[in-house]
Structure formats: C-alpha cells, structure tokens
Amino acid sequence: MAEYNIYCDESCYLQNDSFNVMGFGCVCIPLNKSREISFKLKSLKQQFNCTQELKWTKVSPKNVNFYKALVDYFFETKDINFRALVVENKKSLDHETFNMGSHDAFYYKMYYYLLRNIIDHRRSGDIFNIYFDIKDTHGSYKIKQLKQVLASYMHDYKKYTLPKFQIIRSNESNPLQLDDFLLGAVMYKSRHLESSEAKKEIVSYIESKAGCNLGVSNEPWKTKFNLFHFIPSFKRES
C-alpha cells in the first residue's frame, strides 16, 4: 500500500472566455516524498533568486536558467510524475448532446479522464490525496461532485481511497506551482503561441527532455510526462 498527493490545476476552463482550448494538469508525488520535493523546489527558487511563486506566466529572459533548472530537476526526480489533458476546439463543444446540457458536467468528465489514468495504475490499498488550486467561489461544490464521480468509478463508496479532496492556494504549495508551470508550457504550445522567445525556449527544452511534442498526445503508458489531447465528439446531422 502507498499514499500519494496529487496536485491539480486547470487553464482556460471557462466556457465563454476567448480561448479555443482548455487544459487540465496534475503532478503526482508519493506522500513520503512530498516534503522533500517541496523543500527542493523552494531551495531552487532561493538559489536562482526567484523566491516568488513560480508560474508559467512569469517565464522571462531573466529567469530562463531557473526554469531550465526546474525542468532538469523534474525529469531527474523519479518520484514526480505529470499528466495533462488538453481539450481541442472548446468553442465547438456540444453540451446538449454529450454533456447533459452542462459545461460543468463536461468539466467533471475531463477531470475524471485526467485522474483516471493515474488511479487505474493503483495497487490494492493505495490512497490518493487530491488538491486543487482555488479558482472561484464554486470550487468546493465542484470538487465535491468530482469526488463522488471518482469514488463511484472505483466502487469506493465509503471513499477510503480518496481521504482528502481539498482546495488550496497555489502560493502555499510548491508542487502545485510546478503543476502550473508544466501545464502552462503545454497550453502555450497547444495554443500555437509565439509571443515570447523565453517561453518558446522553455517549451523546446521540455520537449527535448520529454522526447515528445507538447502539442500532441504521447503514448498512454508514459507515466513521467503524459499528454492526452482530447478531440470532442460532434453531433452528426441526420
């Protein structure tokens, strides 16, 4: 039996924003390694004099070396895994046909797909504590519904496998900040952005380490850095 902490974040998740892709990401760490890893991330920030919250939006020419060191640490540390799910063509989603008329239902479904692959590899008795970055005033309701969905999938009706489902603040969690950074890189590539040379450099650096293109899915059995690009179904005309 083992216990894991999973830190989750999302990007461009609102139904009516200006973006046509949305993303979900999570970092998975064994509970007995979470303090050590959090301390190392903090030490890296201090070493490069980047002591504020690390975020993808803060990548700039002056801190490229720090973010490359962060990427190196992630890929060199076997106890940290990352998974991202990217939804293509968000503005063409047919919620009426496929999601009970609800963008929230689709939101839960995507988180379910994100987390399912991690939980599917569990051994009997494994436990998962799942933490979410606070986004809006409806967060507590959303994660309560998601916990019900995942518990039902695992036939864990007493929720022994998912003891903690909590909203936390990213500035208080270095692993959650790492998730924000990695998901940000995936979304930058998936949105075909090229506005920042520093961000393009970091995306290329991650791709060289991961051995994959951040703009497409990689093999589902890849656990260190796993990407799944979801193409929504569309209603067929009769």
Side-chain angles (χ1 to χ4, degrees):
M1 184 185 81
E3 188 167 357
Y4 299 88
N5 286 348
I6 300 178
Y7 302 87
C8 300
D9 199 8
E10 61 230 32
S11 177
C12 309
Y13 66 100
L14 296 176
Q15 182 175 12
N16 296 315
D17 59 24
S18 59
F19 308 114
N20 200 29
V21 292
M22 64 192 297
F24 302 83
C26 64
V27 163
C28 183
I29 299 173
L31 177 64
N32 63 358
K33 294 289 185 178
S34 59
R35 185 182 296 273
E36 173 188 331
I37 288 169
S38 181
F39 180 78
K40 178 59 178 179
L41 293 172
K42 181 179 179 180
S43 297
L44 270 175
K45 290 196 284 187
Q46 293 172 338
Q47 177 185 342
F48 285 88
N49 196 27
C50 295
T51 54
Q52 295 182 339
E53 183 175 357
L54 70 89
K55 295 174 71 71
W56 174 253
T57 56
K58 293 185 178 180
V59 174
S60 68
K62 68 179 182 181
N63 59 28
V64 162
N65 288 337
F66 162 63
Y67 283 104
K68 283 186 174 180
L70 182 67
V71 171
D72 289 340
Y73 175 69
F74 167 76
F75 282 102
E76 291 165 4
T77 306
K78 65 180 182 63
D79 291 309
I80 315 175
N81 291 331
F82 171 76
R83 173 170 165 77
L85 184 153
V86 178
V87 180
E88 308 279 1
N89 305 317
K90 180 181 73 174
K91 291 191 175 299
S92 300
L93 291 169
D94 186 352
H95 292 316
E96 291 299 325
T97 303
F98 298 102
N99 304 305
M100 300 176 291
S102 168
H103 184 72
D104 281 349
F106 179 78
Y107 173 92
Y108 300 140
K109 188 186 298 184
M110 293 302 99
Y111 254 127
Y112 164 75
Y113 286 144
L114 174 74
L115 295 169
R116 183 184 66 177
N117 277 33
I118 295 173
I119 294 172
D120 269 349
H121 288 91
R122 72 189 186 280
R123 296 166 298 177
S124 177
D126 282 356
I127 293 172
F128 300 90
N129 304 305
I130 305 182
Y131 301 97
F132 299 84
D133 188 13
I134 188 169
K135 293 293 185 184
D136 54 47
T137 56
H138 303 294
S140 296
Y141 172 78
K142 287 180 178 179
I143 65 168
K144 182 179 179 181
Q145 295 297 107
L146 179 60
K147 185 173 184 178
Q148 292 279 66
V149 171
L150 284 173
S152 295
Y153 166 72
M154 295 185 293
H155 306 291
D156 180 19
Y157 301 108
K158 294 187 178 180
K159 303 179 181 65
Y160 291 135
T161 308
L162 305 168
K164 291 183 181 178
F165 244 66
Q166 294 181 4
I167 292 175
I168 60 176
R169 297 185 182 279
S170 59
N171 64 337
E172 299 171 353
S173 171
N174 287 310
L176 186 54
Q177 293 171 34
L178 175 63
D179 186 31
D180 175 283
F181 165 71
L182 293 174
L183 178 61
V186 172
M187 293 297 288
Y188 191 84
K189 182 65 177 275
S190 300
R191 291 169 56 196
H192 309 289
L193 298 175
E194 295 189 345
S195 57
S196 166
E197 290 300 321
K199 289 179 178 177
K200 287 167 60 179
E201 184 176 350
I202 293 298
V203 166
S204 295
Y205 195 69
I206 293 174
E207 290 179 329
S208 70
K209 293 286 185 175
C212 67
N213 183 333
L214 299 195
V216 297
S217 301
N218 63 359
E219 296 85 350
W221 55 86
K222 300 284 188 181
T223 56
K224 180 63 181 178
F225 194 93
N226 182 251
L227 302 175
F228 175 51
H229 283 249
F230 178 83
I231 309 297
S233 298
F234 298 97
K235 184 178 181 180
R236 294 182 179 179
E237 298 295 334
S238 58

